[in-house]
Amino acid sequence: MEEYYRKRAPDYEKIYYNCEPEIKLANIYTAKLLQDYLSHRSVLEIACGTGYWTQFLSTTSKDITATDINKEVLDLAKQKTYKCPVSFQIMDAYKLAFEDNRFSAGLANFWFSHIPKDRIDLFLTGFHRTLRSNSRVFLANNNPQFLPDGRLVSFPKDENTYRLRTVSDGSEHYVLKNYYSVNELITIFSKHVENFNESNIYFDDYFWRVAYELK
Ligand SMILES: C[S@@+](CC[C@H](N)C(=O)[O-])C[C@H]1O[C@@H](n2cnc3c(N)ncnc32)[C@H](O)[C@@H]1O
């Protein structure tokens, strides 16, 4: 997965620009939601990629620490212009090297679907550890309807699903990609967030977004 996104870095943002008008509108809605929900906060962004969402977030947040495991995507993200102070760090989402309670908000867009199911609790526990009381968290990801160029692949004795993707150098990669229903999202997040329920989820044909406040 890391190698796939490293190789795909220069082409990555085409998914946002070369898409159907309805998907563009859904992305605009996601941007508006996260801009409102995370405004005036110090945000830790997980798997920021080329900084596409960082740009929108920067119009309303106080400051952003944007992290990703790949230098190649961060180099592209650094070339963008932001409206608030943004620092970038190469970091593995499962090993966040920040002290406890450092941030007042968290953002992770289009990262959650890549987490192996048996690592979700590990990720959420580590992510929440870096956030202080009353922090707000926003995550967004694709819905199953959004499978424009490929089928899902399963393997025996593996609870995850994968998509076979080809990058511009012709190499093929099985990329772990899991999709969730509203009920599955409630089950996952209820374990980590008090009173998490359907009202924390914004679900449409193309994307799910989850927004919640920690105690
Ligand atoms: C689908 S992209 C999302 C990028 C960006 N958030 C967006 O929505 O445009 C997934 C990102 O996860 C990053 N990634 C993969 N494994 C990671 C890990 N273990 N820790 C942090 N980032 C990782 C990849 O480099 C890639 O930039």
Side-chain angles (χ1 to χ4, degrees):
M1 221 255 287
E2 291 164 34
E3 190 195 350
Y4 166 71
Y5 279 110
R6 183 170 53 73
K7 287 186 175 176
R8 206 186 147 193
D11 292 331
Y12 179 73
E13 285 197 16
K14 284 183 186 163
I15 56 163
Y16 295 119
Y17 300 112
N18 301 347
C19 62
E20 302 298 317
E22 315 87 78
I23 297 173
K24 280 190 183 154
L25 279 177
N27 281 328
I28 290 168
Y29 180 55
T30 299
K32 174 89 179 91
L33 283 173
L34 71 89
Q35 283 170 318
D36 289 348
Y37 199 64
L38 306 181
S39 66
H40 306 294
R41 289 174 183 259
S42 292
V43 187
L44 169 60
E45 184 178 358
I46 304 294
C48 66
T50 54
Y52 179 79
W53 299 102
T54 321
Q55 284 185 302
F56 293 104
L57 177 63
S58 75
T59 62
T60 58
S61 67
K62 189 169 150 213
D63 55 69
I64 305 169
T65 301
T67 62
D68 197 285
I69 205 159
N70 270 316
K71 179 179 181 303
E72 286 74 7
V73 293
L74 289 178
D75 285 345
L76 293 169
K78 284 175 190 167
Q79 291 169 22
K80 291 187 164 69
T81 306
Y82 301 96
K83 304 269 189 204
C84 76
V86 181
S87 65
F88 294 97
Q89 293 195 37
I90 297 176
M91 202 171 287
D92 185 341
Y94 302 106
K95 295 179 195 153
L96 297 172
F98 299 107
E99 69 270 30
D100 294 1
N101 309 317
R102 158 93 178 267
F103 303 98
S104 57
L107 172 69
N109 271 7
F110 300 93
W111 157 247
F112 201 83
S113 61
H114 294 311
I115 305 176
K117 289 184 177 173
D118 64 1
R119 299 193 90 187
I120 288 176
D121 290 332
L122 173 76
F123 166 68
L124 285 176
T125 303
F127 186 30
H128 291 174
R129 179 190 62 72
T130 68
L131 305 175
R132 46 185 173 263
S133 299
N134 306 119
S135 286
R136 285 185 167 186
V137 178
F138 187 95
L139 303 96
N141 239 117
N142 312 90
N143 273 334
Q145 290 91 331
F146 189 81
L147 284 168
D149 59 353
R151 288 185 306 108
L152 276 182
V153 181
S154 304
F155 296 102
K157 296 184 185 164
D158 184 341
E159 61 183 338
N160 303 294
T161 49
Y162 298 80
R163 291 180 66 189
L164 184 59
R165 307 297 297 268
T166 309
V167 282
S168 48
D169 68 1
S171 60
E172 289 191 322
H173 301 256
Y174 278 107
V175 181
L176 189 152
K177 184 94 181 162
N178 289 323
Y179 295 87
Y180 298 99
S181 65
V182 168
N183 283 340
E184 287 168 330
L185 291 171
I186 291 173
T187 302
I188 291 167
F189 285 95
S190 295
K191 283 170 73 179
H192 297 267
V193 184
E194 230 174 271
N195 299 324
F196 187 92
N197 60 52
E198 207 166 334
S199 69
N200 297 99
I201 303 173
Y202 301 79
F203 203 90
D204 63 25
D205 281 351
Y206 303 106
F207 304 107
W208 59 258
R209 303 92 173 162
V210 155
Y212 57 86
E213 196 163 308
L214 296 173
K215 290 287 169 217

